[in-house]
Amino acid sequence: MIKIAILGYGIVGSGVAEIIDRNKGEISARAGMELFVKHILDIRSFPGDPHEAKVTADFENIVNDPEISIITETMGGINPAYDYTKRALLAGKSVCTSNKELVAVHAPELSRIAAENGCHYLFEGSVGGGIPIIRTLSRSLTAERIESITGIINGTTNYILTKMEDGRADFTTVLKEAQELGYAEKDPEADIQGFDACRKLAILSSLMTRRHVHYEKIHTEGITDITAEDFRYAKVLDMTIKLLAMCSYDSEARLHAIVAPFLISDEHPLFHVDSVNNAICVHGNMLGDSMYYGRGAGKLPTASAILADVIECIRHDGHANDCFWLAEEMAVAPIAERSSRFLVRITKEEKKIQLASQLFKGYETDPNLSFAPGECAFACGPLTEKEFETACAALPGGIIGRIRIA
Amino acid sequence: MIKIAILGYGIVGSGVAEIIDRNKGEISARAGMELFVKHILDIRSFPGDPHEAKVTADFENIVNDPEISIITETMGGINPAYDYTKRALLAGKSVCTSNKELVAVHAPELSRIAAENGCHYLFEGSVGGGIPIIRTLSRSLTAERIESITGIINGTTNYILTKMEDGRADFTTVLKEAQELGYAEKDPEADIQGFDACRKLAILSSLMTRRHVHYEKIHTEGITDITAEDFRYAKVLDMTIKLLAMCSYDSEARLHAIVAPFLISDEHPLFHVDSVNNAICVHGNMLGDSMYYGRGAGKLPTASAILADVIECIRHDGHANDCFWLAEEMAVAPIAERSSRFLVRITKEEKKIQLASQLFKGYETDPNLSFAPGECAFACGPLTEKEFETACAALPGGIIGRIRIA
């Protein structure tokens, strides 16, 4: 029997305990032994919970318990998760986590400490919930040169965008509804501003390049400016709008990375990924395109991913040979140099339309396309972000809005 | 440096050598050392090939070479691949293969021999080409009770069905075209009769149940009877026809498994999987639905999967702890007891239509639906296969044809 401790008994942490109870047979068969939750760290108490008696507020009870060999960390945030994780690994206890903030910042150091202490630091639950993208990139597509990764990796924003499209409703209305249904948090900033997707993309792009991509270097835009009109334009173009996290090498092997809303066509493999689902497209130089789809968040899918890591720790006990990426920084090319196509909305004035035609390198769609009085829209590009900004600045009165086209 | 041998220098075997040359940097970084092809076993000679000088017709040169620690087996078929694999494993040499016939029959024995000799028997390339479904099931979704797997796992038949749908062409014409383009083999029986998908489903269902599913027990139908008319019916129903490989537990935990053409609706996640692409849907009791999509066959995707296994062998050298499934047989429930919906075509006679309505438990679609003179079609079910056959037998003159509905 393997005794584990759970750090943080919130949504995902309680999911870990629940799956250990519900899938006892499957887990024992695959791990080769039974799993038992011995301690749960939380400052709250949980009267009536079947694991109520295991809850402790003191991490010392866990890190100093020689019976505990594996810890699941579902606290989130950098502190105190970073300290606890480090101390656990230094004590030779493996840590399995869904904490994307911590992984995005400290994975190289924590992986190194784990290897030095004969244990594991695993984080399948940190990106894509139940989609096993971390193991796919680090253990399966290993003979590939991964050239790009494009994903829908935030369930909350995908739910909101799907509802905006279905209901032709505006952002604020749908966000409120999502909060009432529990699909968005009370403080939704991390999701709707793209910060959550940015951390996850830092992890994916680090796995792709095998060097550390700092999340602060990733250009990140959220979905708060997307309007019902934007979806009307998308509709007539047989497109939809998705918050994409993308990283790719350009022809000079420079890394580009961006989190932003994009227009995607109905031919795009991510077009049909709706609601709280996530999907990640990976392009390898030998494999070509592949896609991984599933529940990107939520209690049980994420807890299931964490427990798959726990089972890995048990089966590979004493054989720590994980190397996700090196601590050395991977530079991200300046956003100004990234090329894209754009859908641009401007006020409908004959002279302005003519000037825009020159500035934005011509049109691809009817410049008379319009869903609001006095405005029109056109598609242009590819232009670098810098070229695009220059064109906007040169256009008297500027533009009403723009969305990139994937 | 790790020296490997390649058994069988055909399409996939030469792909292994090609990727080792082309992705040297990526492979070395992930394996922690360089890979070098020392021997190639083939009875043919390859004048002008960069690896020409390494080709030998004598397996003894390989199995007795102490420098060889890993062998890739891309010969296909049971003999002599089985003997060679067994001897290699007994000599402590890991074997990585795409040979689905051999894996479907002998994986439990070969895995056991590998474990006993401190080496690995890995077969990521045997199902789904470049889609890492073997590792996903055996290493990632391990905390799940997998309840069903549904896949398009044969590229040749999916190409043919896609072309039949696009071009409204008949099976024979499209098969001939596919053979000319190299998408179907000169002897296409294994693909078009469903035998290839059956072997692959035996592997997937063994991974799902962790016991050995004998491929002979899987009810298998090919696509040779599918007609252009069938696609016309599919079209008006907003459906298409795909060769599906499906396994699932029923409410009594019995395993059902079938390979057959199915009608699937445009809401089904496999609806958009066209041409030579493969995709596999996995339903877990915690994760819910997930899907894995990519190039299901072909030289480089399959070779890439084999090399990912080679890298696993190197990183986990001396730590063989693979357990895919046990040798103990997993029974497959009789096909007669499997329930399904059906689209049925009958001759258009008033009396027959009335009788059919009683026999086939009523209709769901217009019985006047017709794309050939003198016939009509209707959907019915769910009925067990036995109930369906009984109804057919009781209908004077029988039916023209039927396709199951997924």
Side-chain angles (χ1 to χ4, degrees):
Chain A
M1 180 183 284
I2 283 276
K3 294 183 180 173
I4 73 160
I6 296 171
L7 309 189
Y9 203 53
I11 303 278
V12 178
S14 62
V16 169
E18 183 178 333
I19 297 181
I20 290 174
D21 291 339
R22 287 174 61 182
N23 280 359
K24 197 179 278 294
E26 284 75 17
I27 292 172
S28 298
R30 287 186 173 118
M33 59 191 78
E34 204 175 313
L35 250 73
F36 178 80
V37 178
K38 186 175 177 189
H39 302 294
I40 292 168
L41 182 76
D42 209 297
I43 48 170
R44 299 165 291 185
S45 59
F46 298 86
D49 186 279
H51 297 282
E52 181 182 0
K54 300 170 183 177
V55 178
T56 170
D58 189 357
F59 180 65
E60 302 305 319
N61 292 338
I62 293 168
V63 75
N64 296 322
D65 184 342
E67 283 197 338
I68 296 291
S69 56
I70 301 171
I71 292 174
T72 64
E73 185 266 297
T74 47
M75 309 178 74
I78 302 288
N79 289 312
Y82 173 61
D83 284 335
Y84 290 175
T85 299
K86 206 162 163 176
R87 288 190 59 201
L89 297 172
L90 285 166
K93 299 178 197 303
S94 291
V95 177
C96 304
T97 189
S98 58
N99 186 335
K100 64 211 135 257
E101 295 91 344
L102 188 57
V103 173
V105 176
H106 291 295
E109 182 199 9
L110 295 170
S111 294
R112 180 182 51 74
I113 295 173
E116 287 168 2
N117 291 276
C119 57
H120 301 269
Y121 182 59
L122 300 179
F123 42 86
E124 186 63 72
S126 66
V127 182
I131 305 171
I133 190 65
I134 304 291
R135 195 118 55 233
T136 292
L137 290 170
S138 63
R139 303 294 291 269
S140 290
L141 306 186
T142 48
E144 294 287 321
R145 176 178 164 86
I146 307 290
E147 295 176 334
S148 69
I149 299 176
T150 305
I152 294 172
I153 52 178
N154 179 274
T156 302
T157 47
N158 204 48
Y159 174 85
I160 291 172
L161 293 174
T162 302
K163 284 287 160 190
M164 285 178 74
E165 182 180 32
D166 291 350
R168 305 270 178 277
D170 70 11
F171 174 78
T172 317
T173 311
V174 176
L175 172 63
K176 197 158 165 263
E177 186 190 300
Q179 286 174 313
E180 282 161 9
L181 290 166
Y183 290 136
E185 297 188 37
K186 275 182 199 159
D187 178 1
E189 294 302 302
D191 291 317
I192 64 175
Q193 300 292 359
F195 304 149
D196 173 85
C198 170
R199 300 302 188 285
K200 292 170 176 169
L201 180 61
I203 296 170
L204 294 179
S205 51
S206 296
L207 286 166
M208 174 171 117
T209 63
R210 297 190 306 279
R211 289 196 278 158
H212 193 62
V213 174
H214 289 274
Y215 75 84
E216 306 94 322
K217 305 291 174 65
I218 297 175
H219 179 83
T220 300
E221 297 175 18
I223 62 164
T224 51
D225 293 338
I226 300 296
T227 64
E229 280 76 37
D230 290 326
F231 275 104
R232 289 204 188 95
Y233 286 109
K235 179 84 178 168
V236 293
L237 298 168
D238 290 324
M239 293 179 134
T240 188
I241 301 166
K242 296 290 187 188
L243 183 70
L244 297 187
M246 303 171 78
C247 60
S248 59
Y249 286 116
D250 65 17
S251 56
E252 292 156 34
R254 297 188 315 164
L255 179 72
H256 294 270
I258 184 171
V259 171
F262 277 82
L263 282 158
I264 62 172
S265 82
D266 59 4
E267 306 268 288
H268 196 289
L270 298 177
F271 183 87
H272 297 281
V273 178
D274 284 339
S275 192
V276 293
N277 293 304
N278 280 197
I280 300 159
C281 297
V282 179
H283 185 87
N285 69 335
M286 298 294 139
L287 175 58
D289 289 317
S290 61
M291 187 175 89
Y292 310 88
Y293 167 93
R295 285 293 300 275
K299 177 178 182 161
L300 297 177
T302 307
S304 175
I306 293 172
L307 281 165
D309 277 348
V310 169
I311 293 168
E312 281 292 286
C313 290
I314 296 170
R315 285 172 53 171
H316 296 279
D317 180 31
H319 184 80
N321 189 18
D322 313 313
C323 177
F324 296 103
W325 65 84
L326 307 173
E328 184 192 348
E329 180 176 354
M330 178 74 200
V332 179
I335 185 67
E337 295 169 26
R338 188 182 184 283
S339 278
S340 200
R341 294 173 63 227
F342 297 87
L343 182 78
V344 186
R345 290 164 59 190
I346 59 172
T347 50
K348 194 170 182 173
E349 301 159 62
E350 197 53 45
K351 249 179 82 182
K352 192 160 183 173
I353 293 171
Q354 278 179 12
L355 181 59
S357 163
Q358 297 157 24
L359 291 169
F360 290 94
K361 285 197 187 172
Y363 301 141
E364 296 188 10
T365 49
D366 180 4
N368 289 313
L369 189 65
S370 178
F371 284 104
E375 76 165 62
C376 63
F378 58 89
C380 65
L383 294 163
T384 65
E385 298 275 339
K386 192 180 171 181
E387 288 168 339
F388 184 81
E389 292 305 326
T390 305
C392 290
L395 192 71
I399 64 172
I400 298 170
R402 62 96 178 86
I403 305 182
R404 294 175 189 85
I405 303 172
Chain B
M1 181 184 284
I2 283 276
K3 293 182 181 172
I4 73 159
I6 296 172
L7 308 189
Y9 202 54
I11 304 278
V12 177
S14 63
V16 170
E18 182 178 334
I19 297 181
I20 290 174
D21 291 339
R22 287 175 60 183
N23 280 359
K24 198 179 277 296
E26 283 74 17
I27 292 171
S28 299
R30 283 176 176 128
M33 58 192 79
E34 205 175 312
L35 252 73
F36 178 79
V37 178
K38 187 176 177 189
H39 302 296
I40 293 168
L41 183 76
D42 209 296
I43 48 169
R44 299 165 290 184
S45 61
F46 299 86
D49 186 281
H51 298 282
E52 182 183 1
K54 300 170 183 175
V55 178
T56 171
D58 189 357
F59 180 63
E60 303 305 320
N61 291 337
I62 293 168
V63 75
N64 296 320
D65 184 342
E67 283 198 339
I68 297 291
S69 56
I70 301 170
I71 290 174
T72 64
E73 187 265 296
T74 48
M75 309 178 74
I78 302 287
N79 289 312
Y82 174 59
D83 284 334
Y84 290 174
T85 300
K86 205 163 165 177
R87 289 190 57 203
L89 297 172
L90 286 166
K93 299 178 196 303
S94 290
V95 177
C96 304
T97 190
S98 57
N99 187 335
K100 63 210 134 261
E101 294 92 344
L102 189 58
V103 173
V105 177
H106 292 295
E109 182 197 10
L110 295 171
S111 294
R112 179 183 51 76
I113 295 173
E116 287 168 3
N117 290 277
C119 57
H120 301 269
Y121 182 58
L122 301 179
F123 42 86
E124 185 63 73
S126 66
V127 183
I131 305 171
I133 189 66
I134 304 291
R135 195 117 58 233
T136 292
L137 291 170
S138 63
R139 305 293 291 271
S140 290
L141 305 187
T142 48
E144 293 287 321
R145 175 177 163 86
I146 307 292
E147 296 176 334
S148 69
I149 300 177
T150 306
I152 293 173
I153 53 178
N154 180 274
T156 302
T157 46
N158 205 48
Y159 175 86
I160 292 172
L161 292 173
T162 303
K163 284 288 159 187
M164 285 178 74
E165 182 180 34
D166 290 351
R168 305 270 177 278
D170 69 13
F171 174 76
T172 317
T173 311
V174 176
L175 171 61
K176 199 158 162 263
E177 186 190 300
Q179 286 174 312
E180 282 161 8
L181 290 166
Y183 290 136
E185 295 189 39
K186 276 180 198 161
D187 178 3
E189 295 303 301
D191 291 316
I192 64 176
Q193 301 292 359
F195 304 150
D196 172 85
C198 169
R199 301 302 186 285
K200 292 170 177 170
L201 181 61
I203 297 170
L204 294 179
S205 51
S206 297
L207 286 167
M208 175 172 115
T209 63
R210 296 191 308 280
R211 288 196 280 158
H212 193 61
V213 174
H214 288 273
Y215 75 85
E216 306 93 322
K217 306 290 174 69
I218 297 175
H219 179 83
T220 300
E221 297 175 18
I223 62 164
T224 52
D225 293 337
I226 300 296
T227 64
E229 280 75 38
D230 291 328
F231 275 104
R232 290 205 188 92
Y233 288 109
K235 179 83 180 170
V236 294
L237 298 167
D238 290 324
M239 293 179 135
T240 189
I241 301 167
K242 296 290 185 188
L243 183 71
L244 297 187
M246 304 172 76
C247 59
S248 58
Y249 287 115
D250 66 17
S251 57
E252 292 156 33
R254 297 188 314 163
L255 179 71
H256 294 271
I258 184 172
V259 172
F262 278 83
L263 281 159
I264 61 172
S265 83
D266 59 2
E267 307 267 290
H268 196 289
L270 298 176
F271 182 87
H272 296 283
V273 178
D274 285 339
S275 191
V276 294
N277 293 304
N278 280 198
I280 300 159
C281 296
V282 179
H283 185 88
N285 70 334
M286 296 295 140
L287 174 58
D289 289 316
S290 62
M291 186 176 89
Y292 310 88
Y293 166 92
R295 284 294 299 276
K299 178 179 182 162
L300 297 176
T302 308
S304 174
I306 294 171
L307 281 165
D309 277 349
V310 170
I311 293 168
E312 281 293 286
C313 291
I314 297 170
R315 284 173 53 171
H316 296 278
D317 181 33
H319 184 79
N321 189 18
D322 312 313
C323 178
F324 295 104
W325 64 85
L326 307 173
E328 184 192 348
E329 180 176 353
M330 178 75 201
V332 179
I335 185 68
E337 294 169 27
R338 187 181 185 282
S339 279
S340 200
R341 293 174 61 228
F342 296 86
L343 183 77
V344 186
R345 289 163 59 190
I346 59 171
T347 51
K348 196 169 182 175
E349 301 159 64
E350 195 54 45
K351 249 178 82 181
K352 191 161 183 173
I353 293 171
Q354 277 179 14
L355 181 57
S357 162
Q358 297 157 25
L359 292 169
F360 290 93
K361 286 196 185 173
Y363 302 140
E364 295 189 8
T365 49
D366 181 3
N368 290 312
L369 189 62
S370 178
F371 285 103
E375 75 164 65
C376 64
F378 59 88
C380 66
L383 294 163
T384 65
E385 298 275 337
K386 193 180 171 179
E387 288 168 338
F388 183 80
E389 292 305 325
T390 305
C392 290
L395 192 70
I399 63 171
I400 298 171
R402 63 95 178 86
I403 306 182
R404 294 175 187 85
I405 302 172

